[in-house]
PDB file of all heavy atoms in Angstrom:
ATOM      1  N   ARG A   1      10.580  -6.613  -9.145  1.00  0.00           N
ATOM      2  CA  ARG A   1      11.185  -7.868  -8.687  1.00  0.00           C
ATOM      3  C   ARG A   1      10.151  -8.782  -8.024  1.00  0.00           C
ATOM      4  O   ARG A   1      10.190 -10.003  -8.213  1.00  0.00           O
ATOM      5  CB  ARG A   1      12.332  -7.571  -7.719  1.00  0.00           C
ATOM      6  CG  ARG A   1      13.558  -6.988  -8.376  1.00  0.00           C
ATOM      7  CD  ARG A   1      14.289  -8.018  -9.230  1.00  0.00           C
ATOM      8  NE  ARG A   1      15.005  -8.985  -8.388  1.00  0.00           N
ATOM      9  CZ  ARG A   1      15.005 -10.291  -8.583  1.00  0.00           C
ATOM     10  NH1 ARG A   1      14.288 -10.821  -9.576  1.00  0.00           N
ATOM     11  NH2 ARG A   1      15.699 -11.101  -7.797  1.00  0.00           N
ATOM     12  N   LEU A   2       9.256  -8.214  -7.261  1.00  0.00           N
ATOM     13  CA  LEU A   2       8.233  -9.033  -6.610  1.00  0.00           C
ATOM     14  C   LEU A   2       7.324  -9.686  -7.644  1.00  0.00           C
ATOM     15  O   LEU A   2       7.012 -10.880  -7.562  1.00  0.00           O
ATOM     16  CB  LEU A   2       7.411  -8.180  -5.642  1.00  0.00           C
ATOM     17  CG  LEU A   2       8.127  -7.775  -4.344  1.00  0.00           C
ATOM     18  CD1 LEU A   2       7.358  -6.657  -3.643  1.00  0.00           C
ATOM     19  CD2 LEU A   2       8.286  -8.974  -3.405  1.00  0.00           C
ATOM     20  N   ARG A   3       6.896  -8.919  -8.624  1.00  0.00           N
ATOM     21  CA  ARG A   3       6.038  -9.473  -9.672  1.00  0.00           C
ATOM     22  C   ARG A   3       6.753 -10.574 -10.458  1.00  0.00           C
ATOM     23  O   ARG A   3       6.153 -11.597 -10.777  1.00  0.00           O
ATOM     24  CB  ARG A   3       5.600  -8.360 -10.626  1.00  0.00           C
ATOM     25  CG  ARG A   3       4.472  -7.490 -10.100  1.00  0.00           C
ATOM     26  CD  ARG A   3       4.145  -6.386 -11.088  1.00  0.00           C
ATOM     27  NE  ARG A   3       2.910  -5.687 -10.733  1.00  0.00           N
ATOM     28  CZ  ARG A   3       2.513  -4.555 -11.301  1.00  0.00           C
ATOM     29  NH1 ARG A   3       3.253  -3.989 -12.259  1.00  0.00           N
ATOM     30  NH2 ARG A   3       1.368  -3.995 -10.934  1.00  0.00           N
ATOM     31  N   ALA A   4       8.026 -10.358 -10.747  1.00  0.00           N
ATOM     32  CA  ALA A   4       8.777 -11.321 -11.561  1.00  0.00           C
ATOM     33  C   ALA A   4       8.964 -12.652 -10.850  1.00  0.00           C
ATOM     34  O   ALA A   4       9.236 -13.668 -11.503  1.00  0.00           O
ATOM     35  CB  ALA A   4      10.140 -10.736 -11.937  1.00  0.00           C
ATOM     36  N   THR A   5       8.823 -12.663  -9.535  1.00  0.00           N
ATOM     37  CA  THR A   5       9.048 -13.893  -8.768  1.00  0.00           C
ATOM     38  C   THR A   5       7.764 -14.438  -8.148  1.00  0.00           C
ATOM     39  O   THR A   5       7.814 -15.241  -7.219  1.00  0.00           O
ATOM     40  CB  THR A   5      10.098 -13.661  -7.666  1.00  0.00           C
ATOM     41  OG1 THR A   5       9.782 -12.457  -6.954  1.00  0.00           O
ATOM     42  CG2 THR A   5      11.481 -13.526  -8.258  1.00  0.00           C
ATOM     43  N   GLY A   6       6.613 -14.012  -8.669  1.00  0.00           N
ATOM     44  CA  GLY A   6       5.347 -14.630  -8.283  1.00  0.00           C
ATOM     45  C   GLY A   6       4.619 -13.999  -7.115  1.00  0.00           C
ATOM     46  O   GLY A   6       3.592 -14.531  -6.658  1.00  0.00           O
ATOM     47  N   PHE A   7       5.098 -12.849  -6.614  1.00  0.00           N
ATOM     48  CA  PHE A   7       4.393 -12.157  -5.536  1.00  0.00           C
ATOM     49  C   PHE A   7       3.427 -11.127  -6.116  1.00  0.00           C
ATOM     50  O   PHE A   7       3.510 -10.769  -7.289  1.00  0.00           O
ATOM     51  CB  PHE A   7       5.393 -11.484  -4.595  1.00  0.00           C
ATOM     52  CG  PHE A   7       6.212 -12.466  -3.801  1.00  0.00           C
ATOM     53  CD1 PHE A   7       7.461 -12.894  -4.268  1.00  0.00           C
ATOM     54  CD2 PHE A   7       5.741 -12.975  -2.604  1.00  0.00           C
ATOM     55  CE1 PHE A   7       8.211 -13.804  -3.546  1.00  0.00           C
ATOM     56  CE2 PHE A   7       6.490 -13.890  -1.874  1.00  0.00           C
ATOM     57  CZ  PHE A   7       7.721 -14.312  -2.344  1.00  0.00           C
ATOM     58  N   HIS A   8       2.518 -10.657  -5.272  1.00  0.00           N
ATOM     59  CA  HIS A   8       1.507  -9.686  -5.709  1.00  0.00           C
ATOM     60  C   HIS A   8       1.679  -8.404  -4.886  1.00  0.00           C
ATOM     61  O   HIS A   8       1.145  -8.296  -3.778  1.00  0.00           O
ATOM     62  CB  HIS A   8       0.103 -10.252  -5.529  1.00  0.00           C
ATOM     63  CG  HIS A   8      -0.089 -11.592  -6.168  1.00  0.00           C
ATOM     64  ND1 HIS A   8      -0.062 -11.762  -7.540  1.00  0.00           N
ATOM     65  CD2 HIS A   8      -0.285 -12.822  -5.634  1.00  0.00           C
ATOM     66  CE1 HIS A   8      -0.247 -13.044  -7.822  1.00  0.00           C
ATOM     67  NE2 HIS A   8      -0.387 -13.708  -6.681  1.00  0.00           N
ATOM     68  N   PRO A   9       2.450  -7.443  -5.397  1.00  0.00           N
ATOM     69  CA  PRO A   9       2.708  -6.224  -4.633  1.00  0.00           C
ATOM     70  C   PRO A   9       1.559  -5.218  -4.721  1.00  0.00           C
ATOM     71  O   PRO A   9       0.889  -5.101  -5.750  1.00  0.00           O
ATOM     72  CB  PRO A   9       3.970  -5.667  -5.293  1.00  0.00           C
ATOM     73  CG  PRO A   9       3.898  -6.154  -6.709  1.00  0.00           C
ATOM     74  CD  PRO A   9       3.227  -7.490  -6.655  1.00  0.00           C
ATOM     75  N   PHE A  10       1.347  -4.500  -3.647  1.00  0.00           N
ATOM     76  CA  PHE A  10       0.389  -3.398  -3.590  1.00  0.00           C
ATOM     77  C   PHE A  10       1.121  -2.200  -3.004  1.00  0.00           C
ATOM     78  O   PHE A  10       1.911  -2.341  -2.074  1.00  0.00           O
ATOM     79  CB  PHE A  10      -0.812  -3.758  -2.715  1.00  0.00           C
ATOM     80  CG  PHE A  10      -1.628  -4.911  -3.217  1.00  0.00           C
ATOM     81  CD1 PHE A  10      -1.280  -6.211  -2.885  1.00  0.00           C
ATOM     82  CD2 PHE A  10      -2.741  -4.693  -4.024  1.00  0.00           C
ATOM     83  CE1 PHE A  10      -2.022  -7.287  -3.355  1.00  0.00           C
ATOM     84  CE2 PHE A  10      -3.492  -5.758  -4.499  1.00  0.00           C
ATOM     85  CZ  PHE A  10      -3.134  -7.061  -4.167  1.00  0.00           C
ATOM     86  N   TRP A  11       0.837  -1.011  -3.530  1.00  0.00           N
ATOM     87  CA  TRP A  11       1.491   0.193  -3.045  1.00  0.00           C
ATOM     88  C   TRP A  11       0.522   1.362  -3.169  1.00  0.00           C
ATOM     89  O   TRP A  11      -0.452   1.295  -3.929  1.00  0.00           O
ATOM     90  CB  TRP A  11       2.786   0.460  -3.813  1.00  0.00           C
ATOM     91  CG  TRP A  11       2.615   0.783  -5.272  1.00  0.00           C
ATOM     92  CD1 TRP A  11       2.603   2.021  -5.850  1.00  0.00           C
ATOM     93  CD2 TRP A  11       2.413  -0.160  -6.351  1.00  0.00           C
ATOM     94  NE1 TRP A  11       2.417   1.914  -7.201  1.00  0.00           N
ATOM     95  CE2 TRP A  11       2.296   0.591  -7.541  1.00  0.00           C
ATOM     96  CE3 TRP A  11       2.318  -1.558  -6.416  1.00  0.00           C
ATOM     97  CZ2 TRP A  11       2.082  -0.015  -8.789  1.00  0.00           C
ATOM     98  CZ3 TRP A  11       2.109  -2.153  -7.648  1.00  0.00           C
ATOM     99  CH2 TRP A  11       2.001  -1.395  -8.817  1.00  0.00           C
ATOM    100  N   PRO A  12       0.726   2.445  -2.435  1.00  0.00           N
ATOM    101  CA  PRO A  12      -0.206   3.576  -2.467  1.00  0.00           C
ATOM    102  C   PRO A  12      -0.253   4.240  -3.840  1.00  0.00           C
ATOM    103  O   PRO A  12       0.790   4.492  -4.453  1.00  0.00           O
ATOM    104  CB  PRO A  12       0.357   4.533  -1.408  1.00  0.00           C
ATOM    105  CG  PRO A  12       1.186   3.675  -0.515  1.00  0.00           C
ATOM    106  CD  PRO A  12       1.781   2.623  -1.413  1.00  0.00           C
ATOM    107  N   HIS A  13      -1.459   4.510  -4.299  1.00  0.00           N
ATOM    108  CA  HIS A  13      -1.662   5.238  -5.547  1.00  0.00           C
ATOM    109  C   HIS A  13      -2.264   6.614  -5.275  1.00  0.00           C
ATOM    110  O   HIS A  13      -1.769   7.628  -5.752  1.00  0.00           O
ATOM    111  CB  HIS A  13      -2.588   4.452  -6.479  1.00  0.00           C
ATOM    112  CG  HIS A  13      -1.970   3.219  -7.043  1.00  0.00           C
ATOM    113  ND1 HIS A  13      -2.391   2.637  -8.222  1.00  0.00           N
ATOM    114  CD2 HIS A  13      -0.969   2.420  -6.597  1.00  0.00           C
ATOM    115  CE1 HIS A  13      -1.673   1.545  -8.478  1.00  0.00           C
ATOM    116  NE2 HIS A  13      -0.812   1.402  -7.488  1.00  0.00           N
ATOM    117  N   ARG A  14      -3.344   6.648  -4.501  1.00  0.00           N
ATOM    118  CA  ARG A  14      -4.050   7.910  -4.224  1.00  0.00           C
ATOM    119  C   ARG A  14      -3.766   8.444  -2.830  1.00  0.00           C
ATOM    120  O   ARG A  14      -3.999   9.617  -2.564  1.00  0.00           O
ATOM    121  CB  ARG A  14      -5.559   7.707  -4.401  1.00  0.00           C
ATOM    122  CG  ARG A  14      -5.979   7.392  -5.841  1.00  0.00           C
ATOM    123  CD  ARG A  14      -7.449   7.052  -5.911  1.00  0.00           C
ATOM    124  NE  ARG A  14      -7.725   5.790  -5.214  1.00  0.00           N
ATOM    125  CZ  ARG A  14      -8.935   5.381  -4.870  1.00  0.00           C
ATOM    126  NH1 ARG A  14      -9.982   6.141  -5.132  1.00  0.00           N
ATOM    127  NH2 ARG A  14      -9.105   4.225  -4.261  1.00  0.00           N
ATOM    128  N   ILE A  15      -3.288   7.574  -1.942  1.00  0.00           N
ATOM    129  CA  ILE A  15      -3.008   7.957  -0.566  1.00  0.00           C
ATOM    130  C   ILE A  15      -1.499   8.095  -0.399  1.00  0.00           C
ATOM    131  O   ILE A  15      -0.738   7.249  -0.879  1.00  0.00           O
ATOM    132  CB  ILE A  15      -3.545   6.881   0.411  1.00  0.00           C
ATOM    133  CG1 ILE A  15      -5.036   6.652   0.171  1.00  0.00           C
ATOM    134  CG2 ILE A  15      -3.279   7.282   1.872  1.00  0.00           C
ATOM    135  CD1 ILE A  15      -5.892   7.880   0.351  1.00  0.00           C
ATOM    136  N   PRO A  16      -1.014   9.138   0.268  1.00  0.00           N
ATOM    137  CA  PRO A  16       0.443   9.285   0.445  1.00  0.00           C
ATOM    138  C   PRO A  16       1.045   8.074   1.168  1.00  0.00           C
ATOM    139  O   PRO A  16       0.456   7.581   2.129  1.00  0.00           O
ATOM    140  CB  PRO A  16       0.567  10.549   1.309  1.00  0.00           C
ATOM    141  CG  PRO A  16      -0.694  11.310   1.092  1.00  0.00           C
ATOM    142  CD  PRO A  16      -1.759  10.270   0.865  1.00  0.00           C
ATOM    143  N   PRO A  17       2.190   7.593   0.723  1.00  0.00           N
ATOM    144  CA  PRO A  17       2.833   6.480   1.425  1.00  0.00           C
ATOM    145  C   PRO A  17       3.448   6.895   2.756  1.00  0.00           C
ATOM    146  O   PRO A  17       3.692   6.047   3.616  1.00  0.00           O
ATOM    147  CB  PRO A  17       3.924   6.024   0.446  1.00  0.00           C
ATOM    148  CG  PRO A  17       4.252   7.249  -0.338  1.00  0.00           C
ATOM    149  CD  PRO A  17       2.974   8.015  -0.464  1.00  0.00           C
ATOM    150  N   ASN A  18       3.682   8.200   2.937  1.00  0.00           N
ATOM    151  CA  ASN A  18       4.330   8.674   4.160  1.00  0.00           C
ATOM    152  C   ASN A  18       3.282   8.943   5.245  1.00  0.00           C
ATOM    153  O   ASN A  18       2.156   8.426   5.190  1.00  0.00           O
ATOM    154  CB  ASN A  18       5.194   9.905   3.861  1.00  0.00           C
ATOM    155  CG  ASN A  18       4.369  11.074   3.338  1.00  0.00           C
ATOM    156  OD1 ASN A  18       3.146  11.013   3.250  1.00  0.00           O
ATOM    157  ND2 ASN A  18       5.044  12.160   3.002  1.00  0.00           N
ATOM    158  N   ASP A  19       3.611   9.785   6.216  1.00  0.00           N
ATOM    159  CA  ASP A  19       2.694  10.006   7.338  1.00  0.00           C
ATOM    160  C   ASP A  19       1.387  10.681   6.925  1.00  0.00           C
ATOM    161  O   ASP A  19       0.429  10.700   7.704  1.00  0.00           O
ATOM    162  CB  ASP A  19       3.388  10.853   8.407  1.00  0.00           C
ATOM    163  CG  ASP A  19       4.447  10.077   9.163  1.00  0.00           C
ATOM    164  OD1 ASP A  19       4.656   8.886   8.827  1.00  0.00           O
ATOM    165  OD2 ASP A  19       5.080  10.643  10.074  1.00  0.00           O
ATOM    166  N   GLY A  20       1.346  11.224   5.708  1.00  0.00           N
ATOM    167  CA  GLY A  20       0.098  11.800   5.217  1.00  0.00           C
ATOM    168  C   GLY A  20      -1.008  10.769   5.055  1.00  0.00           C
ATOM    169  O   GLY A  20      -2.188  11.124   4.968  1.00  0.00           O
ATOM    170  N   GLY A  21      -0.648   9.487   5.019  1.00  0.00           N
ATOM    171  CA  GLY A  21      -1.653   8.438   4.894  1.00  0.00           C
ATOM    172  C   GLY A  21      -1.996   7.746   6.196  1.00  0.00           C
ATOM    173  O   GLY A  21      -2.852   6.851   6.216  1.00  0.00           O
ATOM    174  N   LEU A  22      -1.339   8.136   7.302  1.00  0.00           N
ATOM    175  CA  LEU A  22      -1.526   7.418   8.560  1.00  0.00           C
ATOM    176  C   LEU A  22      -2.964   7.439   9.047  1.00  0.00           C
ATOM    177  O   LEU A  22      -3.480   6.442   9.567  1.00  0.00           O
ATOM    178  CB  LEU A  22      -0.619   8.013   9.649  1.00  0.00           C
ATOM    179  CG  LEU A  22       0.852   7.634   9.601  1.00  0.00           C
ATOM    180  CD1 LEU A  22       1.598   8.362  10.715  1.00  0.00           C
ATOM    181  CD2 LEU A  22       1.039   6.129   9.755  1.00  0.00           C
ATOM    182  N   ALA A  23      -3.642   8.586   8.920  1.00  0.00           N
ATOM    183  CA  ALA A  23      -5.001   8.702   9.466  1.00  0.00           C
ATOM    184  C   ALA A  23      -5.935   7.678   8.839  1.00  0.00           C
ATOM    185  O   ALA A  23      -6.766   7.078   9.533  1.00  0.00           O
ATOM    186  CB  ALA A  23      -5.534  10.121   9.260  1.00  0.00           C
ATOM    187  N   LEU A  24      -5.807   7.458   7.531  1.00  0.00           N
ATOM    188  CA  LEU A  24      -6.647   6.462   6.877  1.00  0.00           C
ATOM    189  C   LEU A  24      -6.367   5.078   7.452  1.00  0.00           C
ATOM    190  O   LEU A  24      -7.292   4.310   7.729  1.00  0.00           O
ATOM    191  CB  LEU A  24      -6.413   6.456   5.367  1.00  0.00           C
ATOM    192  CG  LEU A  24      -7.152   5.343   4.603  1.00  0.00           C
ATOM    193  CD1 LEU A  24      -8.657   5.507   4.727  1.00  0.00           C
ATOM    194  CD2 LEU A  24      -6.729   5.319   3.143  1.00  0.00           C
ATOM    195  N   GLY A  25      -5.090   4.737   7.633  1.00  0.00           N
ATOM    196  CA  GLY A  25      -4.741   3.441   8.205  1.00  0.00           C
ATOM    197  C   GLY A  25      -5.287   3.274   9.606  1.00  0.00           C
ATOM    198  O   GLY A  25      -5.805   2.207   9.968  1.00  0.00           O
ATOM    199  N   GLN A  26      -5.191   4.323  10.415  1.00  0.00           N
ATOM    200  CA  GLN A  26      -5.715   4.268  11.776  1.00  0.00           C
ATOM    201  C   GLN A  26      -7.225   4.049  11.764  1.00  0.00           C
ATOM    202  O   GLN A  26      -7.759   3.237  12.526  1.00  0.00           O
ATOM    203  CB  GLN A  26      -5.354   5.554  12.516  1.00  0.00           C
ATOM    204  CG  GLN A  26      -3.858   5.697  12.775  1.00  0.00           C
ATOM    205  CD  GLN A  26      -3.465   7.092  13.191  1.00  0.00           C
ATOM    206  OE1 GLN A  26      -4.158   8.062  12.875  1.00  0.00           O
ATOM    207  NE2 GLN A  26      -2.338   7.215  13.879  1.00  0.00           N
ATOM    208  N   LEU A  27      -7.907   4.768  10.888  1.00  0.00           N
ATOM    209  CA  LEU A  27      -9.366   4.627  10.800  1.00  0.00           C
ATOM    210  C   LEU A  27      -9.773   3.232  10.324  1.00  0.00           C
ATOM    211  O   LEU A  27     -10.754   2.658  10.806  1.00  0.00           O
ATOM    212  CB  LEU A  27      -9.933   5.692   9.851  1.00  0.00           C
ATOM    213  CG  LEU A  27      -9.951   7.119  10.388  1.00  0.00           C
ATOM    214  CD1 LEU A  27     -10.260   8.106   9.272  1.00  0.00           C
ATOM    215  CD2 LEU A  27     -10.985   7.252  11.501  1.00  0.00           C
ATOM    216  N   TYR A  28      -9.011   2.697   9.378  1.00  0.00           N
ATOM    217  CA  TYR A  28      -9.330   1.362   8.849  1.00  0.00           C
ATOM    218  C   TYR A  28      -9.193   0.308   9.941  1.00  0.00           C
ATOM    219  O   TYR A  28     -10.037  -0.581  10.075  1.00  0.00           O
ATOM    220  CB  TYR A  28      -8.408   1.053   7.676  1.00  0.00           C
ATOM    221  CG  TYR A  28      -8.738  -0.216   6.929  1.00  0.00           C
ATOM    222  CD1 TYR A  28     -10.026  -0.472   6.473  1.00  0.00           C
ATOM    223  CD2 TYR A  28      -7.749  -1.164   6.651  1.00  0.00           C
ATOM    224  CE1 TYR A  28     -10.326  -1.635   5.781  1.00  0.00           C
ATOM    225  CE2 TYR A  28      -8.031  -2.322   5.959  1.00  0.00           C
ATOM    226  CZ  TYR A  28      -9.325  -2.554   5.522  1.00  0.00           C
ATOM    227  OH  TYR A  28      -9.615  -3.700   4.836  1.00  0.00           O
ATOM    228  N   VAL A  29      -8.133   0.404  10.751  1.00  0.00           N
ATOM    229  CA  VAL A  29      -7.945  -0.547  11.844  1.00  0.00           C
ATOM    230  C   VAL A  29      -9.036  -0.375  12.898  1.00  0.00           C
ATOM    231  O   VAL A  29      -9.625  -1.347  13.373  1.00  0.00           O
ATOM    232  CB  VAL A  29      -6.545  -0.365  12.481  1.00  0.00           C
ATOM    233  CG1 VAL A  29      -6.398  -1.244  13.727  1.00  0.00           C
ATOM    234  CG2 VAL A  29      -5.452  -0.715  11.472  1.00  0.00           C
ATOM    235  N   ALA A  30      -9.311   0.880  13.257  1.00  0.00           N
ATOM    236  CA  ALA A  30     -10.346   1.140  14.265  1.00  0.00           C
ATOM    237  C   ALA A  30     -11.711   0.643  13.801  1.00  0.00           C
ATOM    238  O   ALA A  30     -12.470   0.027  14.570  1.00  0.00           O
ATOM    239  CB  ALA A  30     -10.392   2.629  14.582  1.00  0.00           C
TER     240      ALA A  30
END
């Protein structure tokens, strides 16, 4: 739906979308 209405969606491919990916997000912000 996002693509069909002109938005550019991004979603996890190699990193878990759940709490298994939190450490990477924390490191990226830090």
Side-chain angles (χ1 to χ4, degrees):
R1 288 289 286 135
L2 287 166
R3 281 178 169 169
T5 48
F7 292 93
H8 307 293
F10 297 86
W11 65 98
H13 290 204
R14 295 174 293 165
I15 304 301
N18 62 3
D19 287 2
L22 283 178
L24 174 63
Q26 292 166 335
L27 287 168
Y28 187 51
V29 173

